[in-house]
Amino acid sequence: MKYFVFSILIYPLFGIDYSIDISPIIYKNCTSCHREGQIAAFLPLENYEQVFNNRLWIEYAIAGDDESRHGDPIMPPWPPDREYSTLIGERYLTEGEIHLILDWIEEEASQGDPELEYPMPDFPEGSAIGESDMTFDMDEPYFINGNFEDDYRCFIFSLDNNEDISMSAIEFRPGNREAVHHAIITYIPDGYADYLDNEDPGYGYECYGGFGLSTFTDLIGGYAPGLTVIEYPEGIGRTIPANSDIIVQVHYAPLMHDAEDLSSINLFFKDEEIEREINQEIIDYWEFYLLPNQETTITRTFYVNETVSMVNILPHCHLLGKSWEIYATTLSNEIIPIIRINQWDFDWQSFYYPEYLLKIPAGSTITATCIYDNTSNNPDNPNDPPALIFPGQGTTDEMFFIPIEFIPYQAGDENIYLGDIEPLTGDVNGDGDLNVLDVVSLVGVILNGGNETAACDVNGDSDINILDVVSLVNLILS
């Protein structure tokens, strides 16, 4: 037993090679985007040769400082602060994985035995969550000009629904994953946006920030590389009214070559009656201005008049955004952290779901703060020199816009998990299995201060330490 634990502790220090040590990390965390036909096809990571040739880029993207993962590494892309709150679908490397890759690069990045390389995952095609009840394809391919500029385009899909639809999930499937950066989806009354479509000579119509409509409607879904599609739990869902259209706004990333996209939308129905209807509240603010050559902090509050369970949240601003922090304060002054984004990036935004339905008691106040950087130090500032900016949906306007999905609270909501499979105690690296790699990851968390998830607290004492390592080893051996 003592030898087993000792061997685990020294395992990362000797004989690091690609096949055994590095390929599982790369294939499970990077290759879904870094492969042919995907958003990061320009830097493929599908085999040893590609990873070896791009090792210095990898080193740059994942490294924080020498001791810990400070400084928010570029990759994997996950803007929210993981030490602030725990969300579904978090993309990150553990401290142990980061240092293992860096040590491998420093030790000349050997391949090892190719026969021992980790198998390439099966990346889903058609749908990531199963067979849909309705599928909508774009009417025609959309031409993407290879001018290395962002392109924001809205497309209308008619549901032709004479009756209400009880929705369990909606899934956007990009036809050209190299070009499609992200998408957001809403529904509107049939024909409500046709005038915008008719005014634009091309397929769809140009849009940025929003959908170009005079009124806001609920956002019901979206897409970003690596985004986890969530089906609402049993009895919980959203009703799409009869005679509705769906609009999807697609952000096409800059390309150096011409391309086409033929994307689709999958709609999933509830198998059972919706007992608890999803509601959406929007915290927004339209009466501000951003002076040039300075940072501006805007804080808004929202009073919660009944106890609710939060389902998801989408902080949204444009190119001058610098950071977000959103939390709730109860009547007893308890702070409920919701989300913090220390380095806002317009290109990486998403709907964020807590691990479990998040209870926010009646009488609480939700506080949302966004800092805007309207200086020349902001590389994304669309104006040079910086200019006076007002709210709006245009490219050079700004927004303070936060849709929040929720349901009225019921006892036990805190135990309703929002992901596909509830985390397995001890599965520190999140691969669904309990093995020596989890022990290595747990040791890395303890020694290097990595992400302390619920899976790390193996013995259930609310502390993460060497006793959890011993418990995990016993769990694996048993």
Side-chain angles (χ1 to χ4, degrees), residues 29-278:
N29 294 281
C30 310
T31 308
S32 61
C33 293
H34 289 269
R35 58 192 174 99
E36 184 178 357
Q38 304 301 308
I39 190 69
F42 59 88
L43 200 153
L45 301 174
E46 299 180 76
N47 53 52
Y48 168 73
E49 182 179 4
Q50 292 174 346
V51 174
F52 179 85
N53 291 338
N54 291 306
R55 66 193 185 282
L56 297 183
W57 285 109
I58 296 172
E59 180 180 36
Y60 169 76
I62 69 172
D65 62 30
D66 292 337
E67 299 299 330
S68 63
R69 196 172 186 238
H70 297 303
D72 294 331
I74 299 169
M75 291 288 159
W78 184 255
D81 185 339
R82 292 187 291 108
E83 295 183 358
Y84 189 76
S85 58
T86 300
L87 304 167
I88 290 290
E90 291 182 343
R91 297 184 292 268
Y92 65 94
L93 300 181
T94 66
E95 283 293 329
E97 290 169 332
I98 291 173
H99 288 292
L100 197 62
I101 293 175
L102 298 181
D103 290 343
W104 173 69
I105 294 172
E106 186 176 347
E107 295 174 13
E108 300 183 354
S110 65
Q111 180 177 14
D113 184 352
E115 295 296 322
L116 299 179
E117 187 174 302
Y118 190 81
M120 186 66 67
D122 292 326
F123 298 110
E125 299 292 339
S127 173
I129 58 175
E131 185 176 351
S132 64
D133 294 286
M134 297 178 73
T135 297
F136 305 92
D137 297 312
M138 291 170 60
D139 292 337
E140 61 185 76
Y142 175 67
F143 176 77
I144 306 158
N145 196 325
N147 56 9
F148 205 66
E149 293 183 0
D150 292 290
D151 185 4
Y152 295 84
R153 201 77 179 172
C154 282
F155 303 99
I156 303 172
F157 298 83
S158 177
L159 291 177
D160 291 326
N161 60 319
N162 296 323
E163 299 180 350
D164 293 348
I165 293 175
S166 298
M167 190 188 89
S168 174
I170 190 166
E171 178 184 35
F172 178 84
R173 302 292 293 178
N176 187 331
R177 292 178 181 268
E178 182 181 359
V180 176
H181 191 281
H182 74 261
I184 52 175
I185 307 170
T186 190
Y187 65 88
I188 57 170
D190 179 31
Y192 189 73
D194 285 356
Y195 75 98
L196 292 170
D197 203 21
N198 294 333
E199 288 175 354
D200 195 301
Y203 177 46
Y205 63 91
E206 185 178 0
C207 55
Y208 177 91
F211 299 92
L213 304 173
S214 57
T215 59
F216 289 111
T217 51
D218 286 359
L219 298 177
I220 60 173
Y223 165 82
L227 175 68
T228 301
V229 179
I230 302 294
E231 286 195 85
Y232 294 124
E234 183 177 354
I236 300 173
R238 175 184 282 280
T239 300
I240 299 179
N243 303 311
S244 291
D245 290 339
I246 283 178
I247 302 182
V248 56
Q249 182 208 70
V250 183
H251 170 200
Y252 292 105
L255 293 178
M256 294 295 291
H257 56 85
D258 293 345
E260 290 185 341
D261 174 49
L262 193 62
S263 291
S264 61
I265 293 176
N266 291 327
L267 193 59
F268 299 84
F269 299 165
K270 298 293 293 187
D271 293 330
E272 73 286 348
E273 182 180 350
I274 294 178
E275 299 173 357
R276 307 175 68 187
E277 182 76 24
I278 291 288

Side-chain angles (χ1 to χ4, degrees), residues 17-24 27 47-48 51 104 110-111 117:
D17 67 53
Y18 178 79
S19 294
I20 294 177
D21 305 298
I22 306 303
S23 65
Y27 296 162
N47 53 52
Y48 168 73
V51 174
W104 173 69
S110 65
Q111 180 177 14
E117 187 174 302

